[in-house]
Amino acid sequence: MPTLIAFFAHPDDEVLHAGGTLARAAAEGHRVVLVSATDGEMGPVREDQVRLRELASSGAALGAARVTTLGYADSGHGKDLYPDPPDRRRFVRAPHEEAAEKLAAILREERADLLLTHDAGGGYGHRDHVHAHEVALRAARRAGGVRTLTAAIPLTAPIRLLRLTSLLTSPLALLRGSRTFRTALLRVEHTPRARITHAVDARRYASHKQAALAAHASQVRGPGRSAGAFRALVNMRTPLFAALLGREWWTEVERG
């Protein structure tokens, strides 16, 4: 069966952008491989490698056959770009061709048929997401023109989500109260319907996507700005989760 590679910037991006698509692909017999550009850490590599262990657990929930990383550090999001940790480079500082060759080697090794990644704007402009998109396109060309799809969000999706959260009570109240959640919805780069080439209905696999998100326990239970929204999503009833996040959209990149 065809092999699908999902390349995203950080552990947990694979769930939020593609969890349903990956779970459905794995259930239908495709080989699914997760590649994270970073280990999700801002500082030196932690001995327990908690973010990578969570990524492996997320991959297992989605049915991934392999989970790996390019080994870069998280670049952070905000106006300040901090110095590199002493043991590795921040992803956004990695030259495009260097990172692209690392990813291309995985694409060639896996004989990948399809590559999924971030859109050109990085969803809401995160520097690592944008860099991952650029690296992915170069890697796909290096590996022989692998078909590439980028994450898309139609204009109606976040509007529908906001309308639902305005009508329903807890735990969706936590979503409305999350500053990061609201900011992401307001800043997200919407994709014109005419540019969307693939719509994936993965509502049957919502429990897999929800379990994969729960696997990122440090982000769900921690003090991060998205933690409240993540907890609400993990704790809500699966049918509601499926209604909110059970569909995913993609734009195919023209091969040149």
Side-chain angles (χ1 to χ4, degrees):
M1 294 293 288
T3 295
L4 184 157
I5 307 280
F7 174 63
F8 292 100
H10 314 103
D12 75 30
D13 288 338
E14 80 288 346
V15 181
L16 301 173
H17 293 284
T21 301
L22 300 178
R24 177 173 170 175
E28 292 177 353
H30 300 281
R31 178 173 171 82
V32 170
V33 175
L34 300 185
V35 183
S36 179
T38 76
D39 54 22
E41 299 289 355
M42 291 288 293
V45 173
R46 292 166 53 167
E47 187 174 341
D48 59 6
Q49 295 189 310
V50 63
R51 297 296 304 278
L52 292 183
R53 288 193 290 104
E54 291 172 350
L55 179 63
S57 296
S58 171
L62 297 175
R66 178 184 176 188
V67 178
T68 188
T69 176
L70 298 190
Y72 296 106
D74 192 329
S75 305
H77 183 56
K79 64 178 182 178
D80 296 323
L81 177 59
Y82 296 102
D84 291 339
D87 52 358
R88 67 209 188 290
R89 183 180 293 168
R90 296 203 185 281
F91 178 52
V92 77
R93 289 199 178 100
H96 287 97
E97 296 308 318
E98 172 191 293
E101 181 50 39
K102 289 184 177 182
L103 178 58
I106 297 171
L107 296 176
R108 289 190 290 263
E109 178 185 353
E110 291 287 348
R111 298 182 180 179
D113 300 282
L114 186 66
L115 175 64
L116 305 182
T117 193
H118 295 281
D119 67 287
Y124 56 96
H126 193 298
R127 57 172 69 96
D128 277 342
H129 294 187
V130 174
H131 199 56
H133 169 84
E134 295 164 351
V135 165
L137 267 55
R138 285 170 168 80
R141 290 194 295 269
R142 279 175 172 254
V146 177
R147 248 181 103 194
T148 303
L149 303 183
T150 61
I153 301 179
L155 182 59
T156 57
I159 290 176
R160 184 172 66 248
L161 182 55
L162 281 174
R163 285 175 177 170
L164 280 170
T165 58
S166 69
L167 295 174
L168 300 173
T169 56
S170 182
L172 288 180
L174 293 175
L175 292 176
R176 295 202 309 275
S178 167
R179 182 180 63 180
T180 299
F181 179 80
R182 294 199 314 272
T183 300
L185 282 177
L186 292 173
R187 294 180 59 188
V188 71
E189 182 177 327
H190 304 115
T191 309
R193 285 282 183 176
R195 286 179 48 207
I196 295 175
T197 58
H198 297 74
V200 178
D201 185 344
R203 286 174 292 177
R204 287 179 56 193
Y205 305 95
S207 61
H208 299 264
K209 182 171 180 174
Q210 196 171 24
L213 182 59
H216 292 283
S218 65
Q219 306 307 295
V220 174
R221 301 172 190 160
R225 292 176 298 173
S226 299
F230 284 1
R231 283 193 295 272
L233 290 169
V234 165
N235 292 328
M236 74 173 51
R237 294 184 181 276
T238 300
L240 179 55
F241 184 93
L244 293 175
L245 298 176
R247 292 180 175 89
E248 294 166 356
W249 297 267
W250 302 92
T251 297
E252 185 156 4
V253 177
E254 291 187 9
R255 286 182 277 188

